[in-house]
Amino acid sequence: MKSIHTALSVLALITVPVAAAQTYSLVVNGQVSAAGAVTVNGQTYVPLSALKTLGIPSSVQGKTLTLGTGAAATAPGGANQRASLEGCVGDTLFNGLWRVTVRSVKPAQRYNGQQKGYEVTFDWKNGSAVTTDGQNTGVKGMQLILQDGSTLESETVQDVLYRKLAQGAGNTFTLAFYADSAASATLTAADKLLVEIDPAVLKATGVKAAYTTPTPSLRVRLGCRK
């Protein structure tokens, strides 16, 4: 029994009165998982890879398994950061409608170096069953948070928000986030990319799609890579 717990590195989700070591096929967001679920002594467990698909990060240190970030949600530089699905560069975050994978972040500059910032390249795919765009599904915008807590905006984020995508379709975008000339001299490293999503907008527009989480906003930690 101990080997089952160790091999799966799992989280107990529900309790059902069934025999020990009963196995199940596992479907995550409509896709069959390579690893299944198992019930041991009435406790059903799923592999951490399934949680990762749902945008829930995990880490193991010693004998402690931590899910999520390991800390209460706090705003960059404040105390009211919105709850979000979170992952690293290379992770695909899926909120039931949009699949987002940050591929890279690199320094950028313009106007002969007077303004500095970062370019973020990411995949943006429609995971719903209808043709739609970010604006009509509640995507409010994107922000790049630096290590000192300052925030950069992109002048071309509308390219993402207004791009209509068919079911399963996607694009790879590169957005530039620049600081003003004064702040460019002391620019700190890029820390997080935030995608703000208001699910109430989706309900109001009548788009025939739905988020599978009440907190569909996305947060990508740019200092880690998977």
Side-chain angles (χ1 to χ4, degrees):
M1 187 182 302
K2 181 178 179 181
S3 63
I4 294 176
H5 283 261
T6 303
L8 292 177
S9 299
V10 293
L11 170 69
L13 292 183
I14 57 175
T15 301
V16 289
V18 296
Q22 181 173 345
T23 60
Y24 300 89
S25 297
L26 181 62
V27 177
V28 182
N29 282 333
Q31 297 185 2
V32 178
S33 171
V38 61
T39 295
V40 180
N41 287 344
Q43 296 288 328
T44 300
Y45 303 85
V46 298
L48 291 179
S49 58
L51 301 183
K52 179 180 177 181
T53 301
L54 294 171
I56 303 173
S58 62
S59 62
V60 177
Q61 185 172 3
K63 295 184 178 180
T64 301
L65 170 62
T66 300
L67 299 178
T69 61
T74 56
N80 299 302
Q81 180 176 347
R82 59 182 172 270
S84 306
L85 300 180
E86 183 171 283
C88 296
V89 175
D91 282 338
T92 296
L93 303 183
F94 182 52
N95 55 21
L97 204 162
W98 297 109
R99 299 182 190 275
V100 180
T101 309
V102 172
R103 296 299 180 185
S104 66
V105 54
K106 61 182 182 180
Q109 62 178 22
R110 63 182 179 180
Y111 307 141
N112 295 321
Q114 294 181 43
Q115 281 191 294
K116 296 181 180 180
Y118 296 94
E119 288 184 346
V120 180
T121 299
F122 58 93
D123 299 336
W124 180 269
K125 297 182 179 180
N126 180 359
S128 76
V130 298
T131 297
T132 189
D133 56 56
Q135 183 186 34
N136 285 298
T137 55
V139 182
K140 308 295 288 184
M142 297 183 178
Q143 297 177 322
L144 189 68
I145 309 301
L146 306 185
Q147 285 186 349
D148 64 359
S150 59
T151 301
L152 302 183
E153 307 280 351
S154 174
E155 298 171 357
T156 57
V157 69
Q158 292 84 359
D159 294 346
V160 181
L161 302 187
Y162 300 156
R163 183 69 60 88
K164 285 192 176 296
L165 295 173
Q167 175 185 4
N171 286 100
T172 297
F173 295 93
T174 297
L175 294 186
F177 297 80
Y178 287 109
D180 59 31
S181 299
S184 291
T186 57
L187 195 70
T188 59
D191 187 39
K192 298 180 182 72
L193 178 70
L194 306 183
V195 182
E196 181 183 2
I197 299 176
D198 181 357
V201 174
L202 174 61
K203 294 179 181 180
T205 57
V207 174
K208 302 301 182 182
Y211 290 111
T212 55
T213 170
T215 57
S217 294
L218 310 174
R219 183 188 305 113
V220 182
R221 292 179 284 126
L222 302 175
C224 63
R225 176 179 290 276
K226 296 294 181 67

